[in-house]
Amino acid sequence: MRLFILVLFVFFTIPVKAYALKPRAMLLVDFFSYENESGKRSIRNHLEAEFSRSYELKSREEVEDMKIKVADKIDTDDCESDKKCIKMMGDRLMVDYTLLFEIVVLGGNEWSIKGERQKRDGIITPPIDEVCQNCTPSKLRPILSEMVISLKPGD
């Protein structure tokens, strides 16, 4: 009986937040006019690290595999920008949120960055648009970090 009371005491005294699960999400990052593979990898890694603080992210492999399966099913070549494809991917991966980032090199060193969070029920947070002047991947990181803060769950 003492053990039972001790277990109940411990269970009810630990903060409830410790038991809260992070919402599940998939991250899609699309690059336009940017061909530097190591730069792309660095940016993706940064976004994954930042978002993993607030979300339980599906792995790149899971997302890529599902993208191929869904694209074959609905017969599309561009699953990353096809809203129906993205919705099906999220449903099949059973994620609560889809996080979309679009990074476009406009010319010279000017980059346009768009971030968006879509909830499974279809609610979309207003997109966040930023422009980075004289941009490099290292100059882009603080901008991305600020965008990630704005796209945290519950905001």
Side-chain angles (χ1 to χ4, degrees):
M1 186 66 171
R2 286 182 183 168
L3 180 62
F4 179 70
I5 293 171
L6 179 64
V7 169
L8 284 177
F9 177 75
V10 169
F11 180 75
F12 287 111
T13 58
I14 296 175
V16 175
K17 188 172 182 174
Y19 296 107
L21 299 175
K22 293 180 184 177
R24 295 175 309 265
M26 71 174 176
L27 174 63
L28 298 173
V29 184
D30 213 0
F31 294 91
F32 296 96
S33 303
Y34 185 62
E35 304 304 324
N36 183 333
E37 290 303 319
S38 66
K40 288 180 184 180
R41 197 169 33 257
S42 172
I43 292 166
R44 275 195 183 101
N45 288 342
H46 179 74
L47 284 169
E48 287 173 0
E50 291 287 319
F51 276 121
S52 67
R53 295 177 185 169
S54 303
Y55 295 96
E56 179 187 321
L57 290 178
K58 293 293 181 179
S59 71
R60 284 188 213 171
E61 293 78 22
E62 287 176 291
V63 173
E64 287 301 318
D65 288 347
M66 190 55 65
K67 187 186 310 179
I68 292 166
K69 289 176 185 173
V70 170
D72 288 345
K73 184 171 178 82
I74 66 171
D75 196 32
T76 183
D77 294 330
D78 187 18
C79 199
E80 284 194 18
S81 62
D82 185 324
K83 291 184 188 301
K84 180 180 176 184
C85 187
I86 292 170
K87 173 85 170 108
M88 285 180 70
M89 287 172 58
D91 289 345
R92 289 188 174 191
L93 287 170
M94 295 188 298
V95 296
D96 303 307
Y97 295 95
T98 300
L99 307 164
L100 303 166
F101 269 77
E102 185 178 280
I103 299 170
V104 181
V105 177
L106 300 172
N109 288 330
E110 185 178 4
W111 296 22
S112 170
I113 308 100
K114 179 181 175 185
E116 183 178 290
R117 179 184 70 198
Q118 298 178 358
K119 207 169 180 182
R120 188 174 193 175
D121 60 10
I123 297 172
I124 300 172
T125 54
I128 300 169
D129 292 303
E130 295 287 339
V131 175
C132 178
Q133 302 289 337
N134 299 317
C135 208
T136 63
S138 59
K139 188 174 178 188
L140 182 64
R141 282 187 196 95
I143 295 169
L144 293 174
S145 296
E146 288 297 318
M147 292 174 79
V148 166
I149 290 168
S150 298
L151 296 173
K152 285 170 50 172
D155 292 344

